[in-house]
Amino acid sequence: MTIDPFFSLPQNSEWNALIGRQGDPTNYADGYIEAAFELANLIIEKRLYAQRDTLVMPILYNARHAVELHLKLVTKTLFDAELVKTEHALNHDISSHFNHLCNSKNWRDGVIPDEALRTHLANLKPFIDSLSKIDEDGQELRYAENRDGQRSLEDHALANIAIIRESLGALKEILDELKYRSFSLCDEDKTETRTNYLSRSDLFEISRLLPVRSEWRSYKFNEVKKQVMQRFATGSRQFSIALKKIEEVPELRANIGQETDLSHLTDDMALFLAQQWQLIHPPREKNELGTDYWDMSWRRDLLEKQKVEEKVLECLLKELTAEQIADAETIFYLARDKYYTESYAEMLANKKKEYQVSDDIPHELRNLMYKTNFLQEFKNGVRSLGRISLADKLEALSLPASVG
């Protein structure tokens, strides 16, 4: 054979797969659990009775290897983010890798600081126990004889493909949840909205459970305090630290009834901006058809629309300061691109510097006002920044205002 039997590439690239330098560590972890499930599913759907005995080992091995790769991926991710203090030795002992993650002493602050991650690890434990019991180091499922020269899986005689398929579906979901939660936790950690015991997500959930700030001396507050301390396994001191942090972050403050002002935009100016945007983007008629370019009325409408746009932009430039326009643009992109609200101040400072360098505020404003999703994302951004009453007013806007 003159060509590489596995890695030569035909002219037709339809079935080219990304590997090596174009691959990704998650592809390895995801691929083995997907292969295990697809094989089990194929046997049952195609009723491949003859392949039950030959494919059961590859199915189980792929499942075990997927678990191993996910544990290693999650540990490295958390280690790189300095949430976990040490990596694990390079071996195939999935029970040891799992225990390394579950051991609070291996974590930065001596505790796994996230309820969701603790839950996902607890859900994974039965699968770890099962696979570790039959294959401690990844040998029993690969070879008919183990390193001691004994028959592999000597204590087992049967395995049911249907049961395996059902368990693989559950396992895949748990591994996905564990993996993606570890990614999110590392991103959240950068915001520093956390305590030694609680993640940003935990604090957000606690803020939703709490009564409004004015009721913190009530019986209701004391009951919620007990429930929170029990659910998140924190003491009274840690609970107090969590409350202080919640009061510091606008997005969390809003959940306890405390609003936060925007940096430069007043409520009146924000509403005025939204109303002027509506003049450029009036509601479309439900039965509105496509444009007839031969109809001269279309051209007249276009010219009229351009006049409205220019008048709106002129009005906004007259009424809004450069800082207020920068504030609006920052809020829009904060929401549209799903940034954490803790980035608001830094993003706004960068936007104001950008304005000073470009010295073309009319161009910036025009681009912003032409965005058809401006109002929706602006409302979302205002709400996430803790200005709830303004967000409600923006939500209530329905009729276009007159040009100022």
Side-chain angles (χ1 to χ4, degrees):
M1 183 175 290
T2 59
I3 60 173
D4 190 313
F6 292 111
F7 298 102
S8 59
L9 298 175
Q11 290 185 344
N12 185 347
S13 62
E14 180 180 3
W15 295 107
N16 284 357
L18 301 180
I19 63 171
R21 62 177 179 270
Q22 291 198 95
D24 188 275
T26 57
N27 291 350
Y28 288 81
D30 293 342
Y32 281 92
I33 189 64
E34 289 170 4
F37 182 82
E38 292 299 333
L39 273 176
N41 200 47
L42 181 68
I43 291 172
I44 293 173
E45 287 193 349
K46 298 292 185 180
R47 308 185 76 81
L48 304 177
Y49 295 107
Q51 277 72 51
R52 290 175 301 181
D53 299 340
T54 57
L55 292 179
V56 66
M57 289 299 110
I59 289 170
L60 290 171
Y61 174 75
N62 280 343
R64 188 195 184 284
H65 196 53
V67 170
E68 179 183 330
L69 292 179
H70 274 84
L71 290 173
K72 290 178 176 178
L73 175 64
V74 168
T75 300
K76 178 171 174 51
T77 299
L78 296 170
F79 173 75
D80 290 345
E82 299 183 349
L83 279 161
V84 168
K85 293 187 290 187
T86 60
E87 289 191 277
H88 190 279
L90 293 176
N91 60 37
H92 304 291
D93 186 345
I94 60 174
S95 181
S96 180
H97 281 277
F98 177 76
N99 291 334
H100 182 81
L101 270 178
C102 293
N103 188 347
S104 60
K105 293 180 180 179
N106 293 324
W107 287 74
R108 180 181 60 197
D109 297 310
V111 65
I112 303 176
D114 183 65
E115 181 191 35
L117 201 65
R118 293 193 296 271
T119 299
H120 300 327
L121 287 170
N123 291 339
L124 183 59
K125 189 177 187 305
F127 297 92
I128 298 291
D129 292 342
S130 176
L131 291 169
S132 296
K133 189 186 304 180
I134 65 166
D135 193 347
E136 182 178 352
D137 60 359
Q139 298 295 313
E140 301 275 331
L141 295 174
R142 286 195 290 172
Y143 306 108
E145 289 186 357
N146 58 32
R147 289 173 176 172
D148 298 327
Q150 304 297 318
R151 179 189 289 271
S152 293
L153 305 179
E154 179 67 33
D155 296 334
H156 294 73
L158 294 171
N160 186 278
I161 301 296
I163 292 295
I164 291 173
R165 180 179 67 167
E166 181 180 353
S167 296
L168 287 173
L171 175 59
K172 184 181 185 306
E173 184 175 348
I174 292 168
L175 292 175
D176 282 343
E177 290 171 340
L178 176 64
K179 175 181 59 186
Y180 291 121
R181 183 57 198 145
S182 68
F183 294 165
S184 297
L185 181 60
C186 293
D187 287 337
E188 288 182 17
D189 192 68
K190 298 173 187 175
T191 69
E192 298 189 356
T193 299
R194 51 175 166 76
T195 73
N196 291 350
Y197 287 78
L198 300 162
S199 66
R200 186 184 192 275
S201 292
D202 291 341
L203 291 172
F204 191 87
E205 178 63 16
I206 291 170
S207 71
R208 293 178 59 191
L209 296 172
L210 291 169
V212 295
R213 182 63 178 84
S214 60
E215 297 179 5
W216 279 16
R217 293 184 180 275
S218 67
Y219 172 80
K220 180 181 179 181
F221 174 80
N222 291 330
E223 287 301 303
V224 171
K225 177 181 177 180
K226 292 177 184 176
Q227 295 169 10
V228 167
M229 288 170 58
Q230 181 178 11
R231 172 177 167 181
F232 292 91
T234 63
S236 182
R237 181 173 177 273
Q238 286 77 36
F239 180 76
S240 297
I241 294 172
L243 294 184
K244 183 178 179 181
K245 197 68 180 178
I246 288 170
E247 290 190 277
E248 291 175 357
V249 181
E251 189 172 1
L252 305 185
R253 281 166 49 85
N255 289 336
I256 58 172
Q258 292 187 312
E259 295 211 25
T260 306
D261 291 335
L262 301 176
S263 293
H264 299 294
L265 273 173
T266 63
D267 289 5
D268 288 343
M269 276 300 166
L271 287 168
F272 175 72
L273 176 65
Q275 290 166 344
Q276 295 299 306
W277 174 88
Q278 286 183 314
L279 293 175
I280 299 176
H281 305 275
R284 292 185 177 185
E285 297 293 335
K286 291 184 178 180
N287 297 323
E288 186 175 320
L289 301 176
T291 302
D292 181 359
Y293 293 100
W294 297 102
D295 184 356
M296 293 304 294
S297 65
W298 169 79
R299 299 190 180 187
R300 289 194 297 271
D301 291 343
L302 179 60
L303 290 173
E304 185 62 30
K305 185 175 184 295
Q306 290 174 339
K307 290 179 182 178
V308 171
E309 290 171 357
E310 292 304 319
K311 194 170 184 181
V312 164
L313 293 171
E314 180 183 348
C315 179
L316 288 174
L317 287 169
K318 179 181 177 182
E319 296 296 330
L320 271 69
T321 66
E323 289 181 331
Q324 289 173 329
I325 296 171
D327 203 359
E329 187 173 355
T330 299
I331 294 168
F332 168 79
Y333 283 112
L334 183 84
R336 193 199 69 173
D337 297 338
K338 304 295 187 294
Y339 287 104
Y340 288 112
T341 54
E342 289 86 340
S343 302
Y344 172 53
E346 182 181 0
M347 289 177 65
L348 178 57
N350 290 337
K351 180 57 63 176
K352 289 193 290 187
K353 289 179 183 178
E354 182 184 319
Y355 277 19
Q356 292 173 356
V357 172
S358 67
D359 194 29
D360 193 358
I361 296 175
H363 175 72
E364 298 283 349
L365 180 61
R366 184 184 299 273
N367 284 343
L368 190 63
M369 290 295 95
Y370 281 0
K371 296 188 182 300
T372 57
N373 61 341
F374 168 76
L375 183 55
Q376 182 60 49
E377 298 298 350
F378 185 61
K379 286 187 292 187
N380 293 340
V382 167
R383 190 174 297 281
S384 68
L385 288 167
R387 196 63 187 163
I388 304 301
S389 57
L390 172 58
D392 289 341
K393 292 175 184 177
L394 290 169
E395 191 71 44
L397 283 179
S398 57
L399 298 175
S402 58
V403 179

